[in-house]
Amino acid sequence: MRVVRGVLTLLAALLLTAGTAIAAVPAGAERIIYVTSGLVELGPNQYAAQSAVCPGGTKVTGGWVNGGTWQLHSSYPMSDGNSWRGAVRTGEYATSFYVGAICLPGLTDYNIQTENAPVSAGTTSFRIAFCSTGEVVGGGVSASDLNVVLKQTSVFNNTGGGRSGWIASYLNNDPVTRTVNTHAICANGAVNRSVRTSSEPTSLGMDISVNCPQDGTIPISGGGSGPGLQATRAGRPDHEDPTYSRFTVLAGVPLAAARSASVICAS
C-alpha cells in the first residue's frame, strides 16, 4: 500500500484518535490523503477486485480505478467507510490495474447512503442515492453485476430542494433483470468544497479531465460519463507542477461519443 500526503501534525493525529472536534484538524489541502493498492495483473477474459485502505483517523470520500483497457464493473466505498474497492473484467488482452482511495480526517455526520434497484434486461437506467437535507455529498460511486456496464457516475446537486447525492447510469447486457447499487458518501466538514464539470460531446480522445477550479484545492472525489467507463483516476499537485490537480475519466469506445468528467474539490 502506498500513501501520499502532506504534513499532518502529530498533535492533530493524537487529537483525532481521542475523538476531538473537527476544529482541531488542520485546514488546507495537505490534510487530504491519497492511498493506492498494489498492482493487480490480469490475463485475457479475467475478473478481479482490489481495495485501497485509508489510514486510521480518516474516512474515505472518494476513490478511483486505474490501469489498462478493460471494463469497469464497480468502484465504491466499503460500508465501514475505511476503504475503497474496485473491480474490473478484461477482454481479449492482458492488462493490470490498481485502486486508489481519497481519505479525509475531521468529517462529521459521516454516513453512506445506498440505493439498490433493478435494471431490466437490455435497458439503460439512471439511479440516485440521496444525502439527507443539509448534508453535503463528499463523493459517491456505483457497483453492478458482471454483465452490467457502468456508463455514468457523478455528483448530483438539487439546488431547489437542498439535497445532494450521487447519480449513476447502468446498461444491463444480460437477458435477465439485474440489481445495481448506487452509493453516496454524505458528511459535513470538508473545507471550501466546490464542484466542476467538463463536457466534450464529440471528443476524439478517450481521456476527459477536469481541474479543480481554485488554487490550493485538490480532488476528494470525481466521476464522469461515457459509452462505458474503463478507468478513473485522481491527480494532486506535486513539486514539478503545483497546478496539476484534476480528475480524469477514460470513458470508453467508440472514439466519437458524448463524454464528461466531474470533480469535487476541497482544501
Side-chain angles (χ1 to χ4, degrees):
M1 180 178 70
R2 181 170 176 260
V3 179
V4 181
R5 72 174 86 189
V7 177
L8 180 63
T9 65
L10 176 61
L11 175 61
L14 292 173
L15 289 172
L16 279 172
T17 303
T20 304
I22 179 176
V25 181
E30 68 272 8
R31 71 193 183 106
I32 301 172
I33 302 165
Y34 287 11
V35 179
T36 57
S37 71
L39 194 66
V40 179
E41 302 286 349
L42 289 177
N45 301 308
Q46 290 186 337
Y47 171 87
Q50 179 66 290
S51 297
V53 181
C54 289
T58 67
K59 288 293 187 180
V60 67
T61 60
W64 72 94
V65 183
N66 194 21
T69 301
W70 25 255
Q71 206 168 64
L72 179 61
H73 285 281
S74 62
S75 179
Y76 62 100
M78 299 300 285
S79 59
D80 58 9
N82 293 330
S83 59
W84 194 270
R85 190 163 180 83
V88 306
R89 182 172 60 182
T90 59
E92 58 182 316
Y93 301 106
T95 189
S96 60
F97 78 98
Y98 69 89
V99 177
I102 307 172
C103 313
L104 198 65
L107 296 173
T108 60
D109 305 317
Y110 183 95
N111 62 94
I112 299 174
Q113 297 298 316
T114 301
E115 199 264 6
N116 304 314
V119 178
S120 300
T123 65
T124 297
S125 181
F126 287 87
R127 303 296 181 190
I128 304 174
F130 284 104
C131 293
S132 299
T133 302
E135 288 183 325
V136 298
V137 58
V141 80
S142 318
S144 64
D145 290 315
L146 280 178
N147 291 319
V148 179
V149 177
L150 180 59
K151 298 185 67 177
Q152 176 183 350
T153 172
S154 57
V155 63
F156 175 82
N157 285 312
N158 181 2
T159 55
R163 301 181 71 189
S164 60
W166 205 260
I167 186 170
S169 69
Y170 308 86
L171 170 61
N172 183 5
N173 286 322
D174 251 0
V176 298
T177 297
R178 293 292 185 183
T179 299
V180 297
N181 312 299
T182 304
H183 310 281
I185 300 173
C186 308
N188 288 298
V191 180
N192 297 329
R193 176 185 174 275
S194 59
V195 180
R196 187 176 183 184
T197 299
S198 174
S199 297
E200 297 184 34
T202 57
S203 171
L204 296 180
M206 298 175 67
D207 283 359
I208 308 296
S209 294
V210 58
N211 292 351
C212 286
Q214 298 174 343
D215 291 342
T217 63
I218 63 175
I220 60 171
S221 191
S225 64
L229 303 188
Q230 291 179 290
T232 56
R233 60 181 177 268
R236 60 175 293 142
D238 58 39
H239 66 282
E240 294 181 353
D241 183 1
T243 65
Y244 180 84
S245 180
R246 66 186 64 178
F247 204 91
T248 301
V249 177
L250 184 64
V253 293
L255 291 179
R259 294 180 177 83
S260 70
S262 61
V263 64
I264 301 177
C265 306
S267 62

